[in-house]
Amino acid sequence: MSRFMRKDLASLQAYTPGEQPQDRRYIKLNTNESPFPPCEAVKEAAAAEAEKLHLYPDPDGGRLKRLLTEQYGVPEEQIFLSNGSDDILNFAFMAFCDAGRPAVFPDISYGFYQVFADLHRIPAVVLPLLPDFTVDVEAFLAQKGMAVIANPNSPTGIALPAEEIEGILAADPERLVLVDEAYVDFGAESCLPLLKKYDNLLVVQTFSKYRSLAGARLGFAFGSPDVIRDLETIRYSTNPYNVNRMTLAAGIAALKNAEYDRENGRKIQKNRAMTEEALKKLGFEMTRSSANFLFVRPPVGDGKDYYLGMKERGVLVRVYGNERIRNYVRVTIGDEEQMAGFLRATEDYLKGAGHERG
Ligand code: PMP
């Protein structure tokens, strides 16, 4: 820390992203990216924008918003665009929480929630997931403050039915409920239809996973016109040009070619089912995932042993420091070839660890 750093930020524990190794080629199943590159139309649209990189992008993202309106049935004034959905989460913590209104989220969820709370010095109420790793809805109902629920949750992959979230929305109209739907398109139920009924709902989504655009950084959110205006105030007070030209063009082209993403989504769900079955045969336990990853417990060793064993064999998975889930790892679902390589490495690891099958 330099002597110029604010003293009250000295102890901030920054978010640790999953490894992005540049040294060797791994089967990379640790950051929930899509294994499928964007389609040709998206690549061409982004490349064509290079011509105009001397000009600022449209700070309003009007063309992209109009397509989102068409496809999601939400008016433009209820749509917010950002540089990845992390940006929206950051802005929401900044805008809607303070000393008297904590952020309320589960103990096992997206690690960035705690970081944003710490960064903005907002109290965090951390609610343990139930023993089966589902969200404790009763505990949410008993708290005040902004509820932040990843649905499906990460790293568990478990989806909460929208009606359970509706219970939280209905119980207290004065409380904002942020539903982080980064993985919703892989088989969960979106809360978006509830927006017509509840102005205390903020639905956050991303182009990073299902739409194969993690590298472009494009997030979007749906909320009441007032909530979206508040987020715009924060955005215009930080970086109005937060979505760059190439990304806007890529997002527009992706929405125009939505069938490509749907097809890839189906492939991921198929590979997920195949991987689940194969791992169960090898003695793994797992939660029921509605996302593009599995949360699995190997039959021998803890999560770290398995992670290290897999890394040695050229496969990256995600392991966690949290004591409660030390026996688990999260495995992103890749394409067929990647999952075959993952399963081969797993069998080899189990042999090495002396595990007898069956
Ligand atoms: N929410 C959850 C639950 C996530 O796992 C991620 C990805 N790490 C994000 C939000 C942020 O994704 P992005 O900023 O790429 O949209």
Side-chain angles (χ1 to χ4, degrees):
M1 187 183 72
S2 79
R3 65 184 189 284
F4 307 108
M5 180 74 161
R6 273 166 54 163
K7 297 289 176 281
D8 58 352
L9 289 180
S11 62
L12 183 68
Q13 294 272 336
Y15 178 70
T16 316
E19 293 165 89
Q20 302 290 355
Q22 313 291 328
D23 55 335
R24 65 176 269 200
R25 282 177 68 86
Y26 286 95
I27 298 179
K28 203 176 160 302
L29 306 177
N30 65 332
T31 47
N32 295 345
E33 289 141 323
S34 172
F36 308 112
C39 68
E40 285 311 312
V42 168
K43 288 191 246 178
E44 280 165 22
E49 280 301 304
E51 191 70 29
K52 299 189 206 131
L53 283 182
H54 58 303
L55 301 173
Y56 284 112
D58 172 10
D60 192 40
R63 284 182 62 215
L64 179 57
K65 279 190 193 161
R66 279 190 283 285
L67 279 175
L68 287 169
T69 294
E70 273 172 31
Q71 297 193 7
Y72 289 82
V74 178
E76 269 177 63
E77 75 264 22
Q78 292 189 251
I79 304 176
F80 183 79
L81 301 177
S82 72
N83 189 311
S85 58
D86 281 339
D87 235 15
I88 306 174
L89 300 173
N90 184 25
F91 293 170
F93 276 69
M94 219 189 288
F96 305 123
C97 298
D98 55 31
R101 278 177 307 181
V104 185
F105 49 85
D107 61 341
I108 297 165
S109 193
Y110 186 32
F112 233 136
Y113 303 152
Q114 183 67 56
V115 177
F116 288 134
D118 293 345
L119 174 64
H120 301 302
R121 274 178 306 289
I122 296 156
V125 176
V126 179
L127 302 174
L129 292 179
L130 294 168
D132 65 356
F133 292 131
T134 55
V135 171
D136 187 347
V137 175
E138 291 301 317
F140 268 91
L141 289 170
Q143 295 291 339
K144 297 226 174 297
M146 182 172 81
V148 184
I149 300 176
N151 197 37
N153 196 9
S154 175
T156 64
I158 298 173
L160 191 61
E163 66 179 301
E164 302 254 11
I165 294 176
E166 179 165 14
I168 303 172
L169 285 161
D172 183 0
E174 294 312 308
R175 156 193 237 185
L176 191 70
V177 179
L178 186 162
V179 185
D180 179 351
E181 295 190 348
Y183 302 103
V184 74
D185 295 307
F186 297 103
E189 184 190 3
S190 174
C191 283
L192 186 57
L194 296 174
L195 192 58
K196 288 210 171 72
K197 231 167 129 185
Y198 299 96
D199 68 356
N200 56 331
L201 170 65
L202 181 64
V203 176
V204 179
Q205 296 197 6
T206 179
F207 280 69
S208 290
K209 319 288 178 182
Y210 177 78
R211 297 188 192 277
S212 293
L213 283 174
R217 315 301 303 124
L218 183 57
F220 57 112
F222 303 111
S224 75
D226 283 349
V227 163
I228 297 301
R229 248 191 310 277
D230 293 340
L231 291 173
E232 289 295 4
T233 302
I234 303 282
R235 187 170 74 91
Y236 273 84
S237 306
T238 47
N239 181 6
Y241 300 115
N242 61 340
V243 184
N244 72 67
R245 273 183 175 278
M246 294 172 107
T247 295
L248 280 174
I252 290 165
L255 290 179
K256 286 184 177 163
N257 291 274
E259 184 47 35
Y260 176 77
D261 298 326
R262 276 195 285 275
E263 179 56 32
N264 287 339
R266 284 190 284 270
K267 287 184 196 160
I268 295 291
Q269 292 197 38
K270 188 166 145 253
N271 292 347
R272 183 176 74 205
M274 182 274 291
T275 309
E276 240 173 47
E277 202 177 314
L279 286 178
K280 279 184 185 155
K281 280 195 191 132
L282 291 170
F284 279 71
E285 282 175 31
M286 67 202 68
T287 51
R288 182 152 180 268
S289 173
S290 301
N292 66 336
F293 52 84
L294 292 174
F295 188 56
V296 305
R297 179 186 173 141
V300 286
D302 63 12
K304 182 127 184 259
D305 297 329
Y306 178 53
Y307 156 79
L308 288 172
M310 294 298 276
K311 190 167 181 184
E312 253 173 50
R313 291 165 177 81
V315 181
L316 283 184
V317 296
R318 187 82 184 254
V319 68
Y320 296 88
N322 184 329
E323 194 51 29
R324 200 176 159 194
I325 52 172
R326 64 190 295 272
N327 290 324
Y328 284 80
V329 303
R330 192 189 68 187
V331 182
T332 305
I333 301 299
D335 62 20
E336 273 181 49
E337 199 186 325
Q338 287 175 308
M339 296 329 284
F342 160 79
L343 288 170
R344 267 195 309 276
T346 296
E347 288 188 25
D348 192 58
Y349 165 80
L350 291 179
K351 251 187 248 143
H355 176 72
E356 294 296 323
R357 248 204 269 179

